[in-house]
PDB file of all heavy atoms in Angstrom:
ATOM      1  N   SER Z1203     135.174  18.312  25.691  1.00 98.00           N
ATOM      2  CA  SER Z1203     134.469  19.610  25.502  1.00 98.00           C
ATOM      3  C   SER Z1203     132.972  19.328  25.542  1.00 98.00           C
ATOM      4  O   SER Z1203     132.206  20.167  26.133  1.00 98.00           O
ATOM      5  CB  SER Z1203     134.857  20.254  24.188  1.00 98.00           C
ATOM      6  OG  SER Z1203     136.191  20.722  24.232  1.00 98.00           O
ATOM      7  N   ILE Z1204     132.490  18.320  24.902  1.00 98.00           N
ATOM      8  CA  ILE Z1204     131.067  17.990  24.963  1.00 98.00           C
ATOM      9  C   ILE Z1204     130.599  17.666  26.383  1.00 98.00           C
ATOM     10  O   ILE Z1204     129.612  18.201  26.822  1.00 98.00           O
ATOM     11  CB  ILE Z1204     130.771  16.740  24.042  1.00 98.00           C
ATOM     12  CG1 ILE Z1204     130.990  17.143  22.572  1.00 98.00           C
ATOM     13  CG2 ILE Z1204     129.365  16.193  24.263  1.00 98.00           C
ATOM     14  CD1 ILE Z1204     130.798  16.019  21.601  1.00 98.00           C
ATOM     15  N   ALA Z1205     131.417  16.892  27.111  1.00 98.00           N
ATOM     16  CA  ALA Z1205     131.071  16.576  28.479  1.00 98.00           C
ATOM     17  C   ALA Z1205     130.997  17.811  29.385  1.00 98.00           C
ATOM     18  O   ALA Z1205     130.118  17.954  30.208  1.00 98.00           O
ATOM     19  CB  ALA Z1205     132.077  15.576  29.036  1.00 98.00           C
ATOM     20  N   LYS Z1206     132.001  18.736  29.166  1.00 98.00           N
ATOM     21  CA  LYS Z1206     131.978  19.947  29.946  1.00 98.00           C
ATOM     22  C   LYS Z1206     130.823  20.868  29.634  1.00 98.00           C
ATOM     23  O   LYS Z1206     130.220  21.472  30.547  1.00 98.00           O
ATOM     24  CB  LYS Z1206     133.292  20.723  29.743  1.00 98.00           C
ATOM     25  CG  LYS Z1206     134.500  20.067  30.470  1.00 98.00           C
ATOM     26  CD  LYS Z1206     135.724  20.981  30.367  1.00 98.00           C
ATOM     27  CE  LYS Z1206     136.847  20.487  31.239  1.00 98.00           C
ATOM     28  NZ  LYS Z1206     137.987  21.460  31.346  1.00 98.00           N
ATOM     29  N   LEU Z1207     130.480  20.952  28.360  1.00 98.00           N
ATOM     30  CA  LEU Z1207     129.299  21.745  27.976  1.00 98.00           C
ATOM     31  C   LEU Z1207     128.042  21.155  28.552  1.00 98.00           C
ATOM     32  O   LEU Z1207     127.099  21.848  29.024  1.00 98.00           O
ATOM     33  CB  LEU Z1207     129.234  21.845  26.421  1.00 98.00           C
ATOM     34  CG  LEU Z1207     130.251  22.815  25.785  1.00 98.00           C
ATOM     35  CD1 LEU Z1207     130.336  22.551  24.310  1.00 98.00           C
ATOM     36  CD2 LEU Z1207     129.887  24.232  26.132  1.00 98.00           C
ATOM     37  N   GLN Z1208     127.890  19.803  28.538  1.00 98.00           N
ATOM     38  CA  GLN Z1208     126.770  19.193  29.072  1.00 98.00           C
ATOM     39  C   GLN Z1208     126.651  19.471  30.550  1.00 98.00           C
ATOM     40  O   GLN Z1208     125.534  19.703  31.073  1.00 98.00           O
ATOM     41  CB  GLN Z1208     126.812  17.676  28.808  1.00 98.00           C
ATOM     42  CG  GLN Z1208     126.582  17.252  27.379  1.00 98.00           C
ATOM     43  CD  GLN Z1208     126.823  15.767  27.133  1.00 98.00           C
ATOM     44  OE1 GLN Z1208     127.665  15.182  27.693  1.00 98.00           O
ATOM     45  NE2 GLN Z1208     126.028  15.217  26.218  1.00 98.00           N
ATOM     46  N   ARG Z1209     127.786  19.460  31.289  1.00 97.00           N
ATOM     47  CA  ARG Z1209     127.741  19.706  32.704  1.00 97.00           C
ATOM     48  C   ARG Z1209     127.329  21.150  32.966  1.00 97.00           C
ATOM     49  O   ARG Z1209     126.455  21.445  33.933  1.00 97.00           O
ATOM     50  CB  ARG Z1209     129.134  19.481  33.276  1.00 97.00           C
ATOM     51  CG  ARG Z1209     129.191  19.776  34.798  1.00 97.00           C
ATOM     52  CD  ARG Z1209     130.552  19.435  35.376  1.00 97.00           C
ATOM     53  NE  ARG Z1209     131.587  20.274  34.828  1.00 97.00           N
ATOM     54  CZ  ARG Z1209     132.905  20.074  35.111  1.00 97.00           C
ATOM     55  NH1 ARG Z1209     133.274  19.068  35.863  1.00 97.00           N
ATOM     56  NH2 ARG Z1209     133.762  20.899  34.563  1.00 97.00           N
ATOM     57  N   THR Z1210     127.787  22.090  32.189  1.00 98.00           N
ATOM     58  CA  THR Z1210     127.437  23.506  32.351  1.00 98.00           C
ATOM     59  C   THR Z1210     125.911  23.646  32.238  1.00 98.00           C
ATOM     60  O   THR Z1210     125.251  24.287  33.046  1.00 98.00           O
ATOM     61  CB  THR Z1210     128.122  24.392  31.331  1.00 98.00           C
ATOM     62  OG1 THR Z1210     129.505  24.403  31.557  1.00 98.00           O
ATOM     63  CG2 THR Z1210     127.566  25.827  31.295  1.00 98.00           C
ATOM     64  N   ILE Z1211     125.384  23.046  31.178  1.00 98.00           N
ATOM     65  CA  ILE Z1211     123.957  23.177  30.865  1.00 98.00           C
ATOM     66  C   ILE Z1211     123.064  22.482  31.897  1.00 98.00           C
ATOM     67  O   ILE Z1211     122.002  22.931  32.193  1.00 98.00           O
ATOM     68  CB  ILE Z1211     123.682  22.661  29.416  1.00 98.00           C
ATOM     69  CG1 ILE Z1211     124.425  23.602  28.421  1.00 98.00           C
ATOM     70  CG2 ILE Z1211     122.205  22.612  29.154  1.00 98.00           C
ATOM     71  CD1 ILE Z1211     124.604  22.972  27.057  1.00 98.00           C
ATOM     72  N   ALA Z1212     123.554  21.352  32.387  1.00 96.00           N
ATOM     73  CA  ALA Z1212     122.790  20.556  33.373  1.00 96.00           C
ATOM     74  C   ALA Z1212     122.483  21.329  34.619  1.00 96.00           C
ATOM     75  O   ALA Z1212     121.474  21.059  35.284  1.00 96.00           O
ATOM     76  CB  ALA Z1212     123.542  19.255  33.648  1.00 96.00           C
ATOM     77  N   GLN Z1213     123.316  22.279  34.931  1.00 95.00           N
ATOM     78  CA  GLN Z1213     123.065  23.096  36.143  1.00 95.00           C
ATOM     79  C   GLN Z1213     121.713  23.850  36.050  1.00 95.00           C
ATOM     80  O   GLN Z1213     121.127  24.217  37.025  1.00 95.00           O
ATOM     81  CB  GLN Z1213     124.195  24.157  36.336  1.00 95.00           C
ATOM     82  CG  GLN Z1213     125.567  23.601  36.561  1.00 95.00           C
ATOM     83  CD  GLN Z1213     126.542  24.769  36.745  1.00 95.00           C
ATOM     84  OE1 GLN Z1213     126.719  25.331  37.806  1.00 95.00           O
ATOM     85  NE2 GLN Z1213     127.169  25.189  35.629  1.00 95.00           N
ATOM     86  N   PHE Z1214     121.282  24.117  34.813  1.00 94.00           N
ATOM     87  CA  PHE Z1214     120.107  24.943  34.659  1.00 94.00           C
ATOM     88  C   PHE Z1214     118.896  24.175  34.047  1.00 94.00           C
ATOM     89  O   PHE Z1214     117.922  24.772  33.737  1.00 94.00           O
ATOM     90  CB  PHE Z1214     120.449  26.087  33.645  1.00 94.00           C
ATOM     91  CG  PHE Z1214     121.644  26.905  34.157  1.00 94.00           C
ATOM     92  CD1 PHE Z1214     122.929  26.632  33.649  1.00 94.00           C
ATOM     93  CD2 PHE Z1214     121.496  27.858  35.083  1.00 94.00           C
ATOM     94  CE1 PHE Z1214     124.000  27.367  34.110  1.00 94.00           C
ATOM     95  CE2 PHE Z1214     122.581  28.608  35.537  1.00 94.00           C
ATOM     96  CZ  PHE Z1214     123.877  28.354  35.031  1.00 94.00           C
ATOM     97  N   HIS Z1215     119.027  22.852  34.035  1.00 87.00           N
ATOM     98  CA  HIS Z1215     117.931  22.025  33.595  1.00 87.00           C
ATOM     99  C   HIS Z1215     117.351  22.340  32.211  1.00 87.00           C
ATOM    100  O   HIS Z1215     116.186  22.231  31.940  1.00 87.00           O
ATOM    101  CB  HIS Z1215     116.810  22.068  34.598  1.00 87.00           C
ATOM    102  CG  HIS Z1215     117.261  21.813  36.038  1.00 87.00           C
ATOM    103  ND1 HIS Z1215     117.746  20.619  36.413  1.00 87.00           N
ATOM    104  CD2 HIS Z1215     117.351  22.663  37.102  1.00 87.00           C
ATOM    105  CE1 HIS Z1215     118.147  20.746  37.745  1.00 87.00           C
ATOM    106  NE2 HIS Z1215     117.875  21.950  38.133  1.00 87.00           N
ATOM    107  N   ALA Z1216     118.273  22.817  31.305  1.00 92.00           N
ATOM    108  CA  ALA Z1216     117.915  23.028  29.931  1.00 92.00           C
ATOM    109  C   ALA Z1216     118.258  21.822  29.130  1.00 92.00           C
ATOM    110  O   ALA Z1216     119.160  21.017  29.548  1.00 92.00           O
ATOM    111  CB  ALA Z1216     118.613  24.236  29.366  1.00 92.00           C
ATOM    112  N   SER Z1217     117.580  21.552  28.020  1.00 94.00           N
ATOM    113  CA  SER Z1217     117.936  20.440  27.188  1.00 94.00           C
ATOM    114  C   SER Z1217     118.948  20.859  26.098  1.00 94.00           C
ATOM    115  O   SER Z1217     118.947  22.012  25.682  1.00 94.00           O
ATOM    116  CB  SER Z1217     116.652  19.845  26.482  1.00 94.00           C
ATOM    117  OG  SER Z1217     116.219  20.802  25.521  1.00 94.00           O
ATOM    118  N   VAL Z1218     119.794  19.902  25.734  1.00 97.00           N
ATOM    119  CA  VAL Z1218     120.807  20.253  24.714  1.00 97.00           C
ATOM    120  C   VAL Z1218     120.956  19.086  23.697  1.00 97.00           C
ATOM    121  O   VAL Z1218     120.895  17.929  24.102  1.00 97.00           O
ATOM    122  CB  VAL Z1218     122.191  20.573  25.345  1.00 97.00           C
ATOM    123  CG1 VAL Z1218     122.716  19.403  26.123  1.00 97.00           C
ATOM    124  CG2 VAL Z1218     123.168  20.985  24.303  1.00 97.00           C
ATOM    125  N   VAL Z1219     121.049  19.449  22.479  1.00 98.00           N
ATOM    126  CA  VAL Z1219     121.349  18.446  21.380  1.00 98.00           C
ATOM    127  C   VAL Z1219     122.605  18.914  20.661  1.00 98.00           C
ATOM    128  O   VAL Z1219     122.684  20.068  20.232  1.00 98.00           O
ATOM    129  CB  VAL Z1219     120.184  18.336  20.405  1.00 98.00           C
ATOM    130  CG1 VAL Z1219     120.498  17.437  19.240  1.00 98.00           C
ATOM    131  CG2 VAL Z1219     118.910  17.848  21.108  1.00 98.00           C
ATOM    132  N   PHE Z1220     123.573  18.001  20.511  1.00 98.00           N
ATOM    133  CA  PHE Z1220     124.767  18.313  19.730  1.00 98.00           C
ATOM    134  C   PHE Z1220     124.555  17.823  18.353  1.00 98.00           C
ATOM    135  O   PHE Z1220     124.261  16.594  18.082  1.00 98.00           O
ATOM    136  CB  PHE Z1220     125.975  17.679  20.384  1.00 98.00           C
ATOM    137  CG  PHE Z1220     126.428  18.308  21.629  1.00 98.00           C
ATOM    138  CD1 PHE Z1220     125.830  17.932  22.831  1.00 98.00           C
ATOM    139  CD2 PHE Z1220     127.403  19.258  21.674  1.00 98.00           C
ATOM    140  CE1 PHE Z1220     126.175  18.491  24.038  1.00 98.00           C
ATOM    141  CE2 PHE Z1220     127.806  19.829  22.841  1.00 98.00           C
ATOM    142  CZ  PHE Z1220     127.187  19.469  24.015  1.00 98.00           C
ATOM    143  N   LEU Z1221     124.582  18.713  17.306  1.00 97.00           N
ATOM    144  CA  LEU Z1221     124.302  18.412  15.977  1.00 97.00           C
ATOM    145  C   LEU Z1221     125.638  18.382  15.149  1.00 97.00           C
ATOM    146  O   LEU Z1221     126.250  19.460  15.005  1.00 97.00           O
ATOM    147  CB  LEU Z1221     123.279  19.331  15.332  1.00 97.00           C
ATOM    148  CG  LEU Z1221     121.865  19.282  15.900  1.00 97.00           C
ATOM    149  CD1 LEU Z1221     121.032  20.382  15.271  1.00 97.00           C
ATOM    150  CD2 LEU Z1221     121.269  17.924  15.597  1.00 97.00           C
ATOM    151  N   HIS Z1222     126.019  17.256  14.639  1.00 97.00           N
ATOM    152  CA  HIS Z1222     127.223  17.185  13.833  1.00 97.00           C
ATOM    153  C   HIS Z1222     127.004  17.684  12.464  1.00 97.00           C
ATOM    154  O   HIS Z1222     126.041  17.392  11.828  1.00 97.00           O
ATOM    155  CB  HIS Z1222     127.725  15.777  13.775  1.00 97.00           C
ATOM    156  CG  HIS Z1222     129.030  15.625  13.062  1.00 97.00           C
ATOM    157  ND1 HIS Z1222     129.161  15.320  11.708  1.00 97.00           N
ATOM    158  CD2 HIS Z1222     130.320  15.784  13.525  1.00 97.00           C
ATOM    159  CE1 HIS Z1222     130.454  15.335  11.395  1.00 97.00           C
ATOM    160  NE2 HIS Z1222     131.142  15.577  12.455  1.00 97.00           N
ATOM    161  N   VAL Z1223     127.890  18.598  12.003  1.00 96.00           N
ATOM    162  CA  VAL Z1223     127.799  19.188  10.687  1.00 96.00           C
ATOM    163  C   VAL Z1223     128.925  18.574   9.818  1.00 96.00           C
ATOM    164  O   VAL Z1223     130.087  18.547  10.229  1.00 96.00           O
ATOM    165  CB  VAL Z1223     127.956  20.701  10.774  1.00 96.00           C
ATOM    166  CG1 VAL Z1223     127.980  21.324   9.331  1.00 96.00           C
ATOM    167  CG2 VAL Z1223     126.856  21.291  11.614  1.00 96.00           C
ATOM    168  N   ASP Z1224     128.577  18.211   8.613  1.00 94.00           N
ATOM    169  CA  ASP Z1224     129.536  17.664   7.665  1.00 94.00           C
ATOM    170  C   ASP Z1224     130.370  18.825   7.131  1.00 94.00           C
ATOM    171  O   ASP Z1224     129.917  19.618   6.307  1.00 94.00           O
ATOM    172  CB  ASP Z1224     128.847  16.959   6.490  1.00 94.00           C
ATOM    173  CG  ASP Z1224     129.803  16.312   5.556  1.00 94.00           C
ATOM    174  OD1 ASP Z1224     131.070  16.402   5.774  1.00 94.00           O
ATOM    175  OD2 ASP Z1224     129.414  15.734   4.565  1.00 94.00           O
ATOM    176  N   ALA Z1225     131.646  18.931   7.613  1.00 90.00           N
ATOM    177  CA  ALA Z1225     132.477  20.007   7.210  1.00 90.00           C
ATOM    178  C   ALA Z1225     132.785  20.066   5.721  1.00 90.00           C
ATOM    179  O   ALA Z1225     133.187  21.084   5.202  1.00 90.00           O
ATOM    180  CB  ALA Z1225     133.811  20.004   8.058  1.00 90.00           C
ATOM    181  N   GLN Z1226     132.637  18.922   5.075  1.00 91.00           N
ATOM    182  CA  GLN Z1226     132.950  18.876   3.665  1.00 91.00           C
ATOM    183  C   GLN Z1226     132.004  19.730   2.842  1.00 91.00           C
ATOM    184  O   GLN Z1226     132.326  20.200   1.716  1.00 91.00           O
ATOM    185  CB  GLN Z1226     132.870  17.398   3.136  1.00 91.00           C
ATOM    186  CG  GLN Z1226     134.021  16.596   3.620  1.00 91.00           C
ATOM    187  CD  GLN Z1226     134.069  15.242   2.936  1.00 91.00           C
ATOM    188  OE1 GLN Z1226     133.044  14.693   2.532  1.00 91.00           O
ATOM    189  NE2 GLN Z1226     135.271  14.703   2.739  1.00 91.00           N
ATOM    190  N   ARG Z1227     130.859  20.097   3.394  1.00 91.00           N
ATOM    191  CA  ARG Z1227     129.913  20.954   2.736  1.00 91.00           C
ATOM    192  C   ARG Z1227     130.538  22.401   2.543  1.00 91.00           C
ATOM    193  O   ARG Z1227     130.094  23.153   1.729  1.00 91.00           O
ATOM    194  CB  ARG Z1227     128.608  21.140   3.498  1.00 91.00           C
ATOM    195  CG  ARG Z1227     127.803  19.865   3.562  1.00 91.00           C
ATOM    196  CD  ARG Z1227     126.493  20.072   4.270  1.00 91.00           C
ATOM    197  NE  ARG Z1227     125.556  20.964   3.555  1.00 91.00           N
ATOM    198  CZ  ARG Z1227     124.330  21.246   3.997  1.00 91.00           C
ATOM    199  NH1 ARG Z1227     123.871  20.633   5.070  1.00 91.00           N
ATOM    200  NH2 ARG Z1227     123.591  22.048   3.288  1.00 91.00           N
ATOM    201  N   PHE Z1228     131.590  22.647   3.406  1.00 90.00           N
ATOM    202  CA  PHE Z1228     132.162  24.007   3.371  1.00 90.00           C
ATOM    203  C   PHE Z1228     133.667  23.932   3.044  1.00 90.00           C
ATOM    204  O   PHE Z1228     134.378  24.885   3.254  1.00 90.00           O
ATOM    205  CB  PHE Z1228     131.971  24.613   4.743  1.00 90.00           C
ATOM    206  CG  PHE Z1228     130.578  24.701   5.243  1.00 90.00           C
ATOM    207  CD1 PHE Z1228     130.001  23.661   5.958  1.00 90.00           C
ATOM    208  CD2 PHE Z1228     129.802  25.793   4.934  1.00 90.00           C
ATOM    209  CE1 PHE Z1228     128.699  23.701   6.381  1.00 90.00           C
ATOM    210  CE2 PHE Z1228     128.483  25.847   5.399  1.00 90.00           C
ATOM    211  CZ  PHE Z1228     127.954  24.815   6.079  1.00 90.00           C
ATOM    212  N   GLU Z1229     134.113  22.804   2.480  1.00 86.00           N
ATOM    213  CA  GLU Z1229     135.533  22.638   2.225  1.00 86.00           C
ATOM    214  C   GLU Z1229     136.104  23.678   1.242  1.00 86.00           C
ATOM    215  O   GLU Z1229     137.311  23.961   1.270  1.00 86.00           O
ATOM    216  CB  GLU Z1229     135.814  21.209   1.787  1.00 86.00           C
ATOM    217  CG  GLU Z1229     135.176  20.846   0.447  1.00 86.00           C
ATOM    218  CD  GLU Z1229     135.537  19.449  -0.038  1.00 86.00           C
ATOM    219  OE1 GLU Z1229     136.417  18.883   0.600  1.00 86.00           O
ATOM    220  OE2 GLU Z1229     134.933  18.907  -0.972  1.00 86.00           O
TER     221      GLU Z1229
END
Side-chain angles (χ1 to χ4, degrees):
S1203 289
I1204 290 175
K1206 284 188 170 187
L1207 286 166
Q1208 288 174 325
R1209 181 177 62 186
T1210 293
I1211 295 162
Q1213 297 181 85
F1214 304 98
H1215 309 293
S1217 68
V1218 60
V1219 175
F1220 289 84
L1221 292 175
H1222 184 266
V1223 177
D1224 183 0
Q1226 288 190 329
R1227 294 182 65 175
F1228 304 90
E1229 64 179 347

